[in-house]
Amino acid sequence: MAQPIEALAEALSRSVEPSEFRSAMGDMPGAVTIITSWTPNGMPSGATLSAVVSLSLDPPLMLACFDHASNTLGAIESQGKFLVHVLAHGQQHVAMEFSGKSAEKFKDIEWEIGALGLPQIDGCVIVVACELHDVIEAGDHKIVIGRVIEIERKSTLNPIVYARRKMLPFDREGAR
């Protein structure tokens, strides 16, 4: 029988394969969100993210996880502010548009200048305006922490969630 310290060392030396981790996390539902900001040259930038959550109530903070190569991450780091959009049912095409690397993401999307003077996508359930609080390196991503400045809500809309590689409507009536 292994000694407790040996068992702990063995457990710590094991690692989950990235594909297994990705597959398991795909079963964990999350809000479908788009983060927007301006690039240094004044163009709107945005990315679809699933790793976006509230972090703190006092002070109000949110966090979003970006791949190191994200253009939107660079825009946020240069501007020091960003918007978090929680997409509504019917905006699945918007999420898909913002999931790639195209420079034309905003071309066929309805948007305006919104909170903090940032590009704001129309028709979202929630839009949270944040000032950049911190950026933390973590593996192959960076964690962006934003201090919440303003919130806009349209609680009559139903959000969409992402789980098992599908965007699904969340029925707020059925959740009560």
Side-chain angles (χ1 to χ4, degrees), residues 36-67:
T36 61
S37 193
W38 294 108
T39 65
N41 64 356
M43 299 300 295
S45 182
T48 301
L49 299 180
S50 57
V52 178
V53 295
S54 62
L55 176 61
S56 169
L57 290 175
D58 188 17
L61 299 172
M62 292 198 66
L63 71 77
C65 301
F66 289 85
D67 181 275

PDB file of all heavy atoms in Angstrom, residues 36-67:
ATOM      1  N   THR A  36     -16.458  43.264 -26.967  1.00  0.00           N
ATOM      2  CA  THR A  36     -16.073  44.239 -27.989  1.00  0.00           C
ATOM      3  C   THR A  36     -15.220  45.357 -27.406  1.00  0.00           C
ATOM      4  O   THR A  36     -15.300  45.662 -26.213  1.00  0.00           O
ATOM      5  CB  THR A  36     -17.309  44.870 -28.672  1.00  0.00           C
ATOM      6  OG1 THR A  36     -18.095  45.558 -27.691  1.00  0.00           O
ATOM      7  CG2 THR A  36     -18.145  43.834 -29.387  1.00  0.00           C
ATOM      8  N   SER A  37     -14.434  45.958 -28.285  1.00  0.00           N
ATOM      9  CA  SER A  37     -13.631  47.131 -27.958  1.00  0.00           C
ATOM     10  C   SER A  37     -13.202  47.758 -29.289  1.00  0.00           C
ATOM     11  O   SER A  37     -13.699  47.357 -30.341  1.00  0.00           O
ATOM     12  CB  SER A  37     -12.417  46.751 -27.107  1.00  0.00           C
ATOM     13  OG  SER A  37     -11.805  47.903 -26.551  1.00  0.00           O
ATOM     14  N   TRP A  38     -12.313  48.723 -29.241  1.00  0.00           N
ATOM     15  CA  TRP A  38     -11.755  49.347 -30.436  1.00  0.00           C
ATOM     16  C   TRP A  38     -10.301  48.941 -30.595  1.00  0.00           C
ATOM     17  O   TRP A  38      -9.563  48.884 -29.616  1.00  0.00           O
ATOM     18  CB  TRP A  38     -11.801  50.874 -30.332  1.00  0.00           C
ATOM     19  CG  TRP A  38     -13.162  51.479 -30.301  1.00  0.00           C
ATOM     20  CD1 TRP A  38     -13.761  52.050 -29.227  1.00  0.00           C
ATOM     21  CD2 TRP A  38     -14.096  51.584 -31.377  1.00  0.00           C
ATOM     22  NE1 TRP A  38     -15.012  52.503 -29.563  1.00  0.00           N
ATOM     23  CE2 TRP A  38     -15.254  52.228 -30.881  1.00  0.00           C
ATOM     24  CE3 TRP A  38     -14.075  51.180 -32.714  1.00  0.00           C
ATOM     25  CZ2 TRP A  38     -16.364  52.503 -31.660  1.00  0.00           C
ATOM     26  CZ3 TRP A  38     -15.194  51.446 -33.498  1.00  0.00           C
ATOM     27  CH2 TRP A  38     -16.309  52.096 -32.975  1.00  0.00           C
ATOM     28  N   THR A  39      -9.880  48.708 -31.823  1.00  0.00           N
ATOM     29  CA  THR A  39      -8.470  48.463 -32.085  1.00  0.00           C
ATOM     30  C   THR A  39      -7.718  49.790 -31.951  1.00  0.00           C
ATOM     31  O   THR A  39      -8.337  50.866 -31.968  1.00  0.00           O
ATOM     32  CB  THR A  39      -8.252  47.906 -33.510  1.00  0.00           C
ATOM     33  OG1 THR A  39      -8.640  48.907 -34.464  1.00  0.00           O
ATOM     34  CG2 THR A  39      -9.027  46.617 -33.737  1.00  0.00           C
ATOM     35  N   PRO A  40      -6.392  49.743 -31.846  1.00  0.00           N
ATOM     36  CA  PRO A  40      -5.627  50.987 -31.762  1.00  0.00           C
ATOM     37  C   PRO A  40      -5.836  51.928 -32.958  1.00  0.00           C
ATOM     38  O   PRO A  40      -5.715  53.133 -32.822  1.00  0.00           O
ATOM     39  CB  PRO A  40      -4.173  50.511 -31.697  1.00  0.00           C
ATOM     40  CG  PRO A  40      -4.257  49.149 -31.100  1.00  0.00           C
ATOM     41  CD  PRO A  40      -5.542  48.568 -31.638  1.00  0.00           C
ATOM     42  N   ASN A  41      -6.206  51.357 -34.131  1.00  0.00           N
ATOM     43  CA  ASN A  41      -6.437  52.210 -35.301  1.00  0.00           C
ATOM     44  C   ASN A  41      -7.907  52.594 -35.473  1.00  0.00           C
ATOM     45  O   ASN A  41      -8.301  53.059 -36.541  1.00  0.00           O
ATOM     46  CB  ASN A  41      -5.871  51.554 -36.568  1.00  0.00           C
ATOM     47  CG  ASN A  41      -6.562  50.256 -36.926  1.00  0.00           C
ATOM     48  OD1 ASN A  41      -7.430  49.784 -36.202  1.00  0.00           O
ATOM     49  ND2 ASN A  41      -6.169  49.676 -38.045  1.00  0.00           N
ATOM     50  N   GLY A  42      -8.728  52.391 -34.428  1.00  0.00           N
ATOM     51  CA  GLY A  42     -10.108  52.879 -34.433  1.00  0.00           C
ATOM     52  C   GLY A  42     -11.134  51.988 -35.089  1.00  0.00           C
ATOM     53  O   GLY A  42     -12.260  52.416 -35.342  1.00  0.00           O
ATOM     54  N   MET A  43     -10.794  50.741 -35.352  1.00  0.00           N
ATOM     55  CA  MET A  43     -11.752  49.798 -35.934  1.00  0.00           C
ATOM     56  C   MET A  43     -12.411  49.000 -34.811  1.00  0.00           C
ATOM     57  O   MET A  43     -11.759  48.675 -33.815  1.00  0.00           O
ATOM     58  CB  MET A  43     -11.037  48.845 -36.897  1.00  0.00           C
ATOM     59  CG  MET A  43     -10.374  49.537 -38.079  1.00  0.00           C
ATOM     60  SD  MET A  43     -11.545  50.446 -39.112  1.00  0.00           S
ATOM     61  CE  MET A  43     -12.535  49.112 -39.747  1.00  0.00           C
ATOM     62  N   PRO A  44     -13.703  48.641 -34.978  1.00  0.00           N
ATOM     63  CA  PRO A  44     -14.342  47.814 -33.953  1.00  0.00           C
ATOM     64  C   PRO A  44     -13.759  46.411 -33.963  1.00  0.00           C
ATOM     65  O   PRO A  44     -13.422  45.874 -35.014  1.00  0.00           O
ATOM     66  CB  PRO A  44     -15.813  47.813 -34.357  1.00  0.00           C
ATOM     67  CG  PRO A  44     -15.818  48.105 -35.817  1.00  0.00           C
ATOM     68  CD  PRO A  44     -14.610  48.953 -36.081  1.00  0.00           C
ATOM     69  N   SER A  45     -13.622  45.836 -32.783  1.00  0.00           N
ATOM     70  CA  SER A  45     -13.081  44.487 -32.639  1.00  0.00           C
ATOM     71  C   SER A  45     -14.002  43.705 -31.710  1.00  0.00           C
ATOM     72  O   SER A  45     -14.544  44.265 -30.758  1.00  0.00           O
ATOM     73  CB  SER A  45     -11.671  44.558 -32.047  1.00  0.00           C
ATOM     74  OG  SER A  45     -11.110  43.266 -31.946  1.00  0.00           O
ATOM     75  N   GLY A  46     -14.167  42.415 -31.977  1.00  0.00           N
ATOM     76  CA  GLY A  46     -15.019  41.601 -31.126  1.00  0.00           C
ATOM     77  C   GLY A  46     -14.690  40.126 -31.241  1.00  0.00           C
ATOM     78  O   GLY A  46     -14.142  39.682 -32.250  1.00  0.00           O
ATOM     79  N   ALA A  47     -15.015  39.389 -30.182  1.00  0.00           N
ATOM     80  CA  ALA A  47     -14.757  37.952 -30.154  1.00  0.00           C
ATOM     81  C   ALA A  47     -15.852  37.243 -29.374  1.00  0.00           C
ATOM     82  O   ALA A  47     -16.312  37.749 -28.341  1.00  0.00           O
ATOM     83  CB  ALA A  47     -13.409  37.661 -29.511  1.00  0.00           C
ATOM     84  N   THR A  48     -16.261  36.080 -29.854  1.00  0.00           N
ATOM     85  CA  THR A  48     -17.192  35.215 -29.127  1.00  0.00           C
ATOM     86  C   THR A  48     -16.395  34.440 -28.087  1.00  0.00           C
ATOM     87  O   THR A  48     -15.389  33.816 -28.418  1.00  0.00           O
ATOM     88  CB  THR A  48     -17.885  34.236 -30.085  1.00  0.00           C
ATOM     89  OG1 THR A  48     -18.597  34.981 -31.079  1.00  0.00           O
ATOM     90  CG2 THR A  48     -18.858  33.334 -29.341  1.00  0.00           C
ATOM     91  N   LEU A  49     -16.852  34.477 -26.841  1.00  0.00           N
ATOM     92  CA  LEU A  49     -16.181  33.763 -25.754  1.00  0.00           C
ATOM     93  C   LEU A  49     -17.202  32.975 -24.950  1.00  0.00           C
ATOM     94  O   LEU A  49     -18.333  33.408 -24.773  1.00  0.00           O
ATOM     95  CB  LEU A  49     -15.480  34.739 -24.797  1.00  0.00           C
ATOM     96  CG  LEU A  49     -14.380  35.626 -25.336  1.00  0.00           C
ATOM     97  CD1 LEU A  49     -13.827  36.492 -24.224  1.00  0.00           C
ATOM     98  CD2 LEU A  49     -13.273  34.807 -25.950  1.00  0.00           C
ATOM     99  N   SER A  50     -16.760  31.833 -24.425  1.00  0.00           N
ATOM    100  CA  SER A  50     -17.630  31.069 -23.523  1.00  0.00           C
ATOM    101  C   SER A  50     -17.135  31.164 -22.087  1.00  0.00           C
ATOM    102  O   SER A  50     -17.897  30.918 -21.160  1.00  0.00           O
ATOM    103  CB  SER A  50     -17.712  29.606 -23.964  1.00  0.00           C
ATOM    104  OG  SER A  50     -16.426  29.041 -24.020  1.00  0.00           O
ATOM    105  N   ALA A  51     -15.873  31.539 -21.897  1.00  0.00           N
ATOM    106  CA  ALA A  51     -15.311  31.629 -20.548  1.00  0.00           C
ATOM    107  C   ALA A  51     -15.408  33.067 -20.049  1.00  0.00           C
ATOM    108  O   ALA A  51     -14.429  33.821 -20.033  1.00  0.00           O
ATOM    109  CB  ALA A  51     -13.873  31.139 -20.533  1.00  0.00           C
ATOM    110  N   VAL A  52     -16.620  33.473 -19.669  1.00  0.00           N
ATOM    111  CA  VAL A  52     -16.905  34.810 -19.159  1.00  0.00           C
ATOM    112  C   VAL A  52     -17.821  34.642 -17.951  1.00  0.00           C
ATOM    113  O   VAL A  52     -18.868  33.999 -18.059  1.00  0.00           O
ATOM    114  CB  VAL A  52     -17.605  35.689 -20.221  1.00  0.00           C
ATOM    115  CG1 VAL A  52     -17.936  37.067 -19.675  1.00  0.00           C
ATOM    116  CG2 VAL A  52     -16.746  35.800 -21.478  1.00  0.00           C
ATOM    117  N   VAL A  53     -17.421  35.188 -16.811  1.00  0.00           N
ATOM    118  CA  VAL A  53     -18.226  35.051 -15.594  1.00  0.00           C
ATOM    119  C   VAL A  53     -18.075  36.277 -14.701  1.00  0.00           C
ATOM    120  O   VAL A  53     -17.135  37.050 -14.847  1.00  0.00           O
ATOM    121  CB  VAL A  53     -17.839  33.795 -14.767  1.00  0.00           C
ATOM    122  CG1 VAL A  53     -18.137  32.517 -15.520  1.00  0.00           C
ATOM    123  CG2 VAL A  53     -16.390  33.845 -14.347  1.00  0.00           C
ATOM    124  N   SER A  54     -19.011  36.405 -13.762  1.00  0.00           N
ATOM    125  CA  SER A  54     -18.848  37.422 -12.731  1.00  0.00           C
ATOM    126  C   SER A  54     -17.762  36.942 -11.783  1.00  0.00           C
ATOM    127  O   SER A  54     -17.557  35.743 -11.602  1.00  0.00           O
ATOM    128  CB  SER A  54     -20.165  37.643 -11.985  1.00  0.00           C
ATOM    129  OG  SER A  54     -20.560  36.456 -11.332  1.00  0.00           O
ATOM    130  N   LEU A  55     -17.051  37.877 -11.176  1.00  0.00           N
ATOM    131  CA  LEU A  55     -15.939  37.529 -10.304  1.00  0.00           C
ATOM    132  C   LEU A  55     -16.151  38.039  -8.884  1.00  0.00           C
ATOM    133  O   LEU A  55     -15.869  37.338  -7.924  1.00  0.00           O
ATOM    134  CB  LEU A  55     -14.636  38.095 -10.882  1.00  0.00           C
ATOM    135  CG  LEU A  55     -13.365  37.923 -10.070  1.00  0.00           C
ATOM    136  CD1 LEU A  55     -13.055  36.439  -9.873  1.00  0.00           C
ATOM    137  CD2 LEU A  55     -12.207  38.624 -10.760  1.00  0.00           C
ATOM    138  N   SER A  56     -16.664  39.258  -8.754  1.00  0.00           N
ATOM    139  CA  SER A  56     -16.784  39.882  -7.440  1.00  0.00           C
ATOM    140  C   SER A  56     -17.969  40.838  -7.423  1.00  0.00           C
ATOM    141  O   SER A  56     -18.249  41.489  -8.434  1.00  0.00           O
ATOM    142  CB  SER A  56     -15.489  40.646  -7.138  1.00  0.00           C
ATOM    143  OG  SER A  56     -15.618  41.469  -6.010  1.00  0.00           O
ATOM    144  N   LEU A  57     -18.644  40.914  -6.276  1.00  0.00           N
ATOM    145  CA  LEU A  57     -19.728  41.880  -6.109  1.00  0.00           C
ATOM    146  C   LEU A  57     -19.220  43.212  -5.567  1.00  0.00           C
ATOM    147  O   LEU A  57     -19.780  44.263  -5.872  1.00  0.00           O
ATOM    148  CB  LEU A  57     -20.794  41.325  -5.149  1.00  0.00           C
ATOM    149  CG  LEU A  57     -21.624  40.164  -5.665  1.00  0.00           C
ATOM    150  CD1 LEU A  57     -22.550  39.646  -4.566  1.00  0.00           C
ATOM    151  CD2 LEU A  57     -22.427  40.583  -6.884  1.00  0.00           C
ATOM    152  N   ASP A  58     -18.183  43.168  -4.734  1.00  0.00           N
ATOM    153  CA  ASP A  58     -17.695  44.390  -4.106  1.00  0.00           C
ATOM    154  C   ASP A  58     -16.181  44.408  -4.118  1.00  0.00           C
ATOM    155  O   ASP A  58     -15.559  43.765  -3.260  1.00  0.00           O
ATOM    156  CB  ASP A  58     -18.223  44.497  -2.674  1.00  0.00           C
ATOM    157  CG  ASP A  58     -17.927  45.831  -2.031  1.00  0.00           C
ATOM    158  OD1 ASP A  58     -17.598  46.789  -2.767  1.00  0.00           O
ATOM    159  OD2 ASP A  58     -18.023  45.924  -0.797  1.00  0.00           O
ATOM    160  N   PRO A  59     -15.552  45.038  -5.107  1.00  0.00           N
ATOM    161  CA  PRO A  59     -16.179  45.813  -6.174  1.00  0.00           C
ATOM    162  C   PRO A  59     -16.729  44.887  -7.255  1.00  0.00           C
ATOM    163  O   PRO A  59     -16.283  43.737  -7.373  1.00  0.00           O
ATOM    164  CB  PRO A  59     -15.017  46.646  -6.723  1.00  0.00           C
ATOM    165  CG  PRO A  59     -13.815  45.771  -6.517  1.00  0.00           C
ATOM    166  CD  PRO A  59     -14.084  45.053  -5.206  1.00  0.00           C
ATOM    167  N   PRO A  60     -17.661  45.380  -8.068  1.00  0.00           N
ATOM    168  CA  PRO A  60     -18.198  44.531  -9.138  1.00  0.00           C
ATOM    169  C   PRO A  60     -17.140  44.293 -10.220  1.00  0.00           C
ATOM    170  O   PRO A  60     -16.643  45.239 -10.833  1.00  0.00           O
ATOM    171  CB  PRO A  60     -19.388  45.331  -9.676  1.00  0.00           C
ATOM    172  CG  PRO A  60     -19.155  46.735  -9.245  1.00  0.00           C
ATOM    173  CD  PRO A  60     -18.309  46.691  -8.025  1.00  0.00           C
ATOM    174  N   LEU A  61     -16.783  43.010 -10.397  1.00  0.00           N
ATOM    175  CA  LEU A  61     -15.770  42.621 -11.378  1.00  0.00           C
ATOM    176  C   LEU A  61     -16.271  41.463 -12.226  1.00  0.00           C
ATOM    177  O   LEU A  61     -17.027  40.617 -11.745  1.00  0.00           O
ATOM    178  CB  LEU A  61     -14.482  42.176 -10.674  1.00  0.00           C
ATOM    179  CG  LEU A  61     -13.757  43.180  -9.788  1.00  0.00           C
ATOM    180  CD1 LEU A  61     -12.617  42.497  -9.038  1.00  0.00           C
ATOM    181  CD2 LEU A  61     -13.236  44.353 -10.594  1.00  0.00           C
ATOM    182  N   MET A  62     -15.833  41.432 -13.478  1.00  0.00           N
ATOM    183  CA  MET A  62     -16.087  40.301 -14.375  1.00  0.00           C
ATOM    184  C   MET A  62     -14.758  39.828 -14.916  1.00  0.00           C
ATOM    185  O   MET A  62     -13.799  40.590 -14.958  1.00  0.00           O
ATOM    186  CB  MET A  62     -16.993  40.712 -15.535  1.00  0.00           C
ATOM    187  CG  MET A  62     -18.396  41.044 -15.096  1.00  0.00           C
ATOM    188  SD  MET A  62     -19.573  41.027 -16.452  1.00  0.00           S
ATOM    189  CE  MET A  62     -19.585  39.294 -16.905  1.00  0.00           C
ATOM    190  N   LEU A  63     -14.728  38.558 -15.334  1.00  0.00           N
ATOM    191  CA  LEU A  63     -13.520  38.066 -15.991  1.00  0.00           C
ATOM    192  C   LEU A  63     -13.884  37.388 -17.297  1.00  0.00           C
ATOM    193  O   LEU A  63     -14.974  36.846 -17.457  1.00  0.00           O
ATOM    194  CB  LEU A  63     -12.694  37.153 -15.089  1.00  0.00           C
ATOM    195  CG  LEU A  63     -13.156  35.746 -14.727  1.00  0.00           C
ATOM    196  CD1 LEU A  63     -12.943  34.767 -15.856  1.00  0.00           C
ATOM    197  CD2 LEU A  63     -12.383  35.279 -13.516  1.00  0.00           C
ATOM    198  N   ALA A  64     -12.941  37.462 -18.234  1.00  0.00           N
ATOM    199  CA  ALA A  64     -13.090  36.843 -19.544  1.00  0.00           C
ATOM    200  C   ALA A  64     -11.739  36.251 -19.924  1.00  0.00           C
ATOM    201  O   ALA A  64     -10.700  36.867 -19.688  1.00  0.00           O
ATOM    202  CB  ALA A  64     -13.529  37.877 -20.574  1.00  0.00           C
ATOM    203  N   CYS A  65     -11.763  35.062 -20.504  1.00  0.00           N
ATOM    204  CA  CYS A  65     -10.527  34.368 -20.864  1.00  0.00           C
ATOM    205  C   CYS A  65     -10.329  34.403 -22.372  1.00  0.00           C
ATOM    206  O   CYS A  65     -11.205  33.978 -23.125  1.00  0.00           O
ATOM    207  CB  CYS A  65     -10.568  32.934 -20.365  1.00  0.00           C
ATOM    208  SG  CYS A  65     -10.774  32.818 -18.573  1.00  0.00           S
ATOM    209  N   PHE A  66      -9.165  34.910 -22.790  1.00  0.00           N
ATOM    210  CA  PHE A  66      -8.833  35.073 -24.201  1.00  0.00           C
ATOM    211  C   PHE A  66      -7.602  34.260 -24.566  1.00  0.00           C
ATOM    212  O   PHE A  66      -6.630  34.234 -23.810  1.00  0.00           O
ATOM    213  CB  PHE A  66      -8.482  36.536 -24.509  1.00  0.00           C
ATOM    214  CG  PHE A  66      -9.625  37.483 -24.471  1.00  0.00           C
ATOM    215  CD1 PHE A  66     -10.031  38.049 -23.272  1.00  0.00           C
ATOM    216  CD2 PHE A  66     -10.296  37.843 -25.633  1.00  0.00           C
ATOM    217  CE1 PHE A  66     -11.081  38.952 -23.225  1.00  0.00           C
ATOM    218  CE2 PHE A  66     -11.347  38.744 -25.601  1.00  0.00           C
ATOM    219  CZ  PHE A  66     -11.735  39.293 -24.391  1.00  0.00           C
ATOM    220  N   ASP A  67      -7.607  33.676 -25.752  1.00  0.00           N
ATOM    221  CA  ASP A  67      -6.415  33.086 -26.333  1.00  0.00           C
ATOM    222  C   ASP A  67      -5.385  34.207 -26.516  1.00  0.00           C
ATOM    223  O   ASP A  67      -5.744  35.337 -26.841  1.00  0.00           O
ATOM    224  CB  ASP A  67      -6.777  32.473 -27.696  1.00  0.00           C
ATOM    225  CG  ASP A  67      -5.602  31.814 -28.354  1.00  0.00           C
ATOM    226  OD1 ASP A  67      -4.842  32.539 -29.039  1.00  0.00           O
ATOM    227  OD2 ASP A  67      -5.427  30.599 -28.188  1.00  0.00           O
TER     228      ASP A  67
END
